[in-house]
Amino acid sequence: MNKNRMFGRISAYVFLICGSIFMLLPFAWMISTSLKQEGKVFEYPVRWIPNPVEWGNYLTVLTEAPLIGGLMNTLIIILPPMFIGLLTSALAAYAFAKLRFPGRDFLFMMMLATMTIPGVVTMIPTFILFKTIGWLDSWNPLMIPGMFGSAACVFFLRQYFRTIPSELEDAAKMDGLNPFGVFVRVILPLSKPALAAQAIFGFIGGYNDFMGPLIYINSPEKFTLQLVLASFQGYYVSNWTLIMAGSVLALIPTVILFFFAQRYFVEGITMSGMKG
Amino acid sequence: MTEVSETRLAQPNRKAKRRFKKEYLWGYSFVAAPILGFLLFAFIPIGYSVFVSFTKYDAFNPPEVIGAENYARLLFEDPLFWKSLVNTFYAAVGIPIGMAVALAIAIALNQKIVGIKYFRTVFFLPTICSVVALTLLWKWIFNADYGLLNYLLSLINVEGPAWLNDYRWAMPSMIIQGVWAGLGFHMILYLAALQGVSSTLYEAAEIDGAGSWKKFRYITIPGISPTTLFILITAIIGALQDFVRFMIMTEGGPEYSTMTVVYYLFLNAFRYMDMGYASAMAWMLGILIMIITLINFWLSRRWVHYE
């Protein structure tokens, strides 16, 4: 039995170490390429540590390509809807979790149903809608819908709010607080981890979104970071050093965010996955 | 006597009713924004898209109703649609592979491993990274002459194929990339599920003399089956709509070997401005997704166990 367990432990380590090499090698290759001189990319056998190290690739990408501008556009587009959407979602989630009103469960089910509709089906008609009201080539289609909250976020927060004991709310109600007061004074402070998880999801999702900007934005000066990055392909054709340098830069913000907020992230995912 | 007690009882009741009515208003105003959003950005567009699918519409001139012509064209006159549909299902081969690997990693991680945080982070890394950046990276890895993959293969004296430029290898390449990118997300879900399986079951099985395979087969697999169902459904819905990777890495080529339904739909809608036809395609795919999801749920009654 003990021998068996030992064997199991050792094979688990071997498996995980091999697996983590498989996961990390592409990133190592990416960074290695990004630091090579243009001509040295095609050297065989592959040299993992470039000689000389060409930091200039990053400088070139940052100064010549509108990467910074793209980042600023991305932040302007995602931050306001992220906060407003979180607030509207949380309000609705609170109502669905704790308040009683006729049609509540019907409305909730209807909202959940939107989550099951494939995104493809709404892609074209929403494009037509935004074209009709003259929002093409503006940030509005990327910003406004998110401010109404999202069904997934409402669902997640509702599950969380339901775990908050109602004695706390009752006490607050005795003190004369109306539902909005209870929401602001009791529910929100108690839900920081859940709100943080949703905010991080929202940020990473918005930051990495490619489809939305691709469909709605045409003018290069309005490009988001992902659009700028995708345009590298045509721009630098097969200059892999610069394409990889740009890609590394584009990954940095979400990777940093993930390292700092890992706990919320993992918790958020496991919670939404288990409630299926 | 009776009258008094009745009014006494009625008094708080009426008050409660009034408070309840007030709660209505609060409730409705709180849910107003998402419900309005649902109407504006889901319900109305979906309805309109049914209409558009029966028209010829280029998004500039008014839509012209042509009946079921778009659907007939899809079903009977467009071999590329069928090819893209077959390709989409071919790409979905990655789902069971990815799920099995993710489960294996989760099981390995579940044995009180030192460095669990490190491993979890490493496997999870691609999940938080931008699809555009990762796709560009893999395009370079798959490069036939100077890419990492063929270099590694050359170390063991294997001459690698042209990957993305070879119509036989382009889809397997996309599957490899997809499995690599999606592992971490499913691994986290499985890890949480494994930790939720009650240890008393294992102890009881051990007393009965069950070996590790039997424990895995009769306790672990049923114990995590709700998570397996969740992953399966979300992964299929995701895979059938997957296309950004294809757009950046292969543009549907070579020889349409990586043309997926959604990429084809995207081309029709936004490149050829054939909104009616693309809408019909979206509906075919949407209905297909719903049917597969329903079949999944129906079959799941046989193999998913809830506690």
Side-chain angles (χ1 to χ4, degrees):
Chain A
M1 198 66 221
N2 244 341
K3 239 186 199 169
N4 244 340
R5 207 153 269 179
M6 184 89 142
F7 176 74
R9 195 64 64 86
I10 290 170
S11 47
Y13 274 111
V14 172
F15 176 64
L16 288 174
I17 289 167
C18 291
S20 67
I21 291 172
F22 173 66
M23 296 311 288
L24 287 180
L25 219 52
F27 288 110
W29 168 255
M30 178 185 220
I31 293 167
S32 169
T33 303
S34 74
L35 293 171
K36 283 178 182 172
Q37 287 184 327
E38 198 190 331
K40 300 233 164 145
V41 186
F42 306 116
E43 257 180 350
Y44 247 60
V46 165
R47 196 193 283 270
W48 284 95
I49 301 188
N51 182 27
V53 174
E54 186 59 74
W55 293 103
N57 291 332
Y58 285 89
L59 201 68
T60 309
V61 164
L62 279 175
T63 50
E64 281 182 16
L67 221 51
I68 303 272
L71 175 68
M72 296 315 288
N73 291 347
T74 298
L75 293 179
I76 295 170
I77 290 172
I78 65 179
L79 290 178
M82 188 181 98
F83 286 111
I84 296 173
L86 199 56
L87 185 72
T88 50
S89 298
L91 269 173
Y94 170 60
F96 283 132
K98 301 282 193 176
L99 301 182
R100 280 164 306 162
F101 52 93
R104 180 186 74 174
D105 295 335
F106 170 75
L107 288 175
F108 183 65
M109 290 315 291
M110 203 169 78
M111 244 187 46
L112 280 195
T114 59
M115 283 166 69
T116 64
I117 296 160
V120 196
V121 172
T122 51
M123 187 168 82
I124 295 168
T126 39
F127 173 84
I128 296 171
L129 170 75
F130 290 134
K131 187 186 175 296
T132 313
I133 54 179
W135 278 5
L136 289 197
D137 203 26
S138 86
W139 288 336
N140 289 342
L142 306 174
M143 298 180 75
I144 309 290
M147 295 184 183
F148 287 86
S150 84
C153 187
V154 172
F155 177 64
F156 174 89
L157 291 175
R158 173 180 173 269
Q159 301 299 93
Y160 191 90
F161 292 163
R162 276 158 66 111
T163 64
I164 296 173
S166 21
E167 286 82 15
L168 289 168
E169 291 163 65
D170 292 340
K173 273 183 210 158
M174 298 282 194
D175 292 344
L177 284 182
N178 61 30
F180 186 73
V182 175
F183 172 74
V184 172
R185 301 266 185 89
V186 181
I187 302 289
L188 283 189
L190 286 173
S191 313
K192 278 181 195 152
L195 294 169
Q198 285 305 313
I200 294 161
F201 278 148
F203 183 88
I204 293 187
Y207 180 90
N208 289 337
D209 183 26
F210 176 66
M211 267 305 292
L214 177 72
I215 293 178
Y216 294 114
I217 308 291
N218 298 317
S219 320
E221 72 274 7
K222 290 179 189 154
F223 273 17
T224 63
L225 183 69
Q226 301 304 331
L227 283 184
V228 174
L229 186 60
S231 70
F232 273 25
Q233 267 207 105
Y235 208 69
Y236 293 121
V237 193
S238 62
N239 192 335
W240 286 106
T241 60
L242 295 182
I243 293 178
M244 287 299 106
S247 301
V248 171
L249 288 173
L251 295 185
I252 290 173
T254 52
V255 171
I256 290 177
L257 181 66
F258 177 69
F259 274 107
F260 281 106
Q262 210 187 115
R263 191 170 65 90
Y264 297 124
F265 209 87
V266 171
E267 274 171 19
I269 287 177
T270 46
M271 266 170 88
S272 52
M274 285 193 295
K275 304 275 160 48
Chain B
M1 191 63 194
T2 44
E3 260 183 16
V4 173
S5 65
E6 252 172 27
T7 43
R8 267 215 187 131
L9 275 174
Q11 205 70 3
N13 241 349
R14 210 174 296 151
K15 230 182 210 171
K17 246 184 200 165
R18 209 175 307 142
R19 203 180 312 140
F20 191 46
K21 258 200 182 143
K22 257 192 179 167
E23 212 171 272
Y24 284 14
L25 293 178
W26 286 107
Y28 288 129
S29 58
F30 284 0
V31 300
I35 295 294
L36 190 66
F38 158 79
L39 289 174
L40 284 176
F41 305 117
F43 193 74
I44 294 172
I46 288 169
Y48 190 62
S49 124
V50 178
F51 165 72
V52 171
S53 76
F54 291 99
T55 66
K56 193 174 167 53
Y57 184 37
D58 60 6
F60 299 102
N61 303 302
E64 175 195 331
V65 178
I66 53 169
E69 219 169 89
N70 287 325
Y71 289 94
R73 189 173 140 205
L74 265 180
L75 292 174
F76 306 115
E77 290 160 41
D78 191 347
L80 194 49
F81 169 70
W82 290 101
K83 182 155 181 63
S84 68
L85 201 60
V86 171
N87 286 340
T88 306
F89 280 99
Y90 181 10
V93 167
I95 296 175
I97 300 172
M99 283 172 75
V101 181
L103 178 58
I105 297 166
I107 288 170
L109 278 179
N110 199 28
Q111 317 192 16
K112 297 202 181 71
I113 290 271
V114 179
I116 181 168
K117 263 203 167 159
Y118 161 78
F119 288 117
R120 209 173 56 184
T121 307
V122 165
F123 286 106
F124 200 71
L125 208 52
T127 313
I128 48 155
C129 291
S130 112
V131 174
V132 179
L134 294 185
T135 311
L136 291 173
L137 164 63
W138 276 88
K139 197 172 175 180
W140 173 221
I141 289 172
F142 283 131
N143 185 298
D145 300 318
Y146 308 102
L148 175 65
L149 194 53
N150 278 353
Y151 167 69
L152 293 177
L153 288 174
S154 77
L155 295 180
I156 51 168
N157 280 319
V158 174
E159 199 186 325
W163 299 110
L164 298 171
N165 292 322
D166 182 330
Y167 72 95
R168 287 162 305 181
W169 283 99
M171 192 55 96
S173 307
M174 297 307 294
I175 293 173
I176 294 171
Q177 200 270 340
V179 168
W180 177 86
L183 267 184
F185 188 70
H186 297 157
M187 179 268 296
I188 294 264
L189 290 173
Y190 266 137
L191 194 55
L194 287 172
Q195 282 163 359
V197 181
S198 131
S199 56
T200 50
L201 285 175
Y202 289 110
E203 284 156 18
E206 252 166 59
I207 291 167
D208 291 345
S212 17
W213 168 251
K214 280 210 163 145
K215 279 190 280 179
F216 176 71
R217 174 68 190 80
Y218 295 105
I219 299 173
T220 311
I221 296 271
I224 61 172
S225 56
T227 300
T228 304
L229 178 66
F230 175 77
I231 295 177
L232 193 65
I233 288 174
T234 50
I236 290 176
I237 293 175
L240 293 183
Q241 301 187 70
D242 192 7
F243 95 100
V244 171
R245 301 189 300 131
F246 293 89
M247 181 177 178
I248 296 174
M249 239 192 295
T250 63
E251 292 183 65
E255 294 171 42
Y256 301 114
S257 61
T258 58
M259 179 68 86
T260 64
V261 178
V262 180
Y263 186 42
Y264 188 46
L265 183 161
F266 172 85
L267 290 178
N268 274 291
F270 302 106
R271 292 282 151 80
Y272 319 142
M273 299 314 278
D274 199 345
M275 296 278 167
Y277 191 50
S279 293
M281 214 181 299
W283 273 106
M284 297 286 281
L285 185 65
I287 289 166
L288 193 66
I289 290 174
M290 287 175 209
I291 291 172
I292 292 175
T293 307
L294 283 177
I295 291 175
N296 248 324
F297 270 114
W298 183 68
L299 287 177
S300 75
R301 276 188 283 175
R302 288 161 190 241
W303 59 269
V304 174
H305 301 263
Y306 295 95
E307 272 182 43

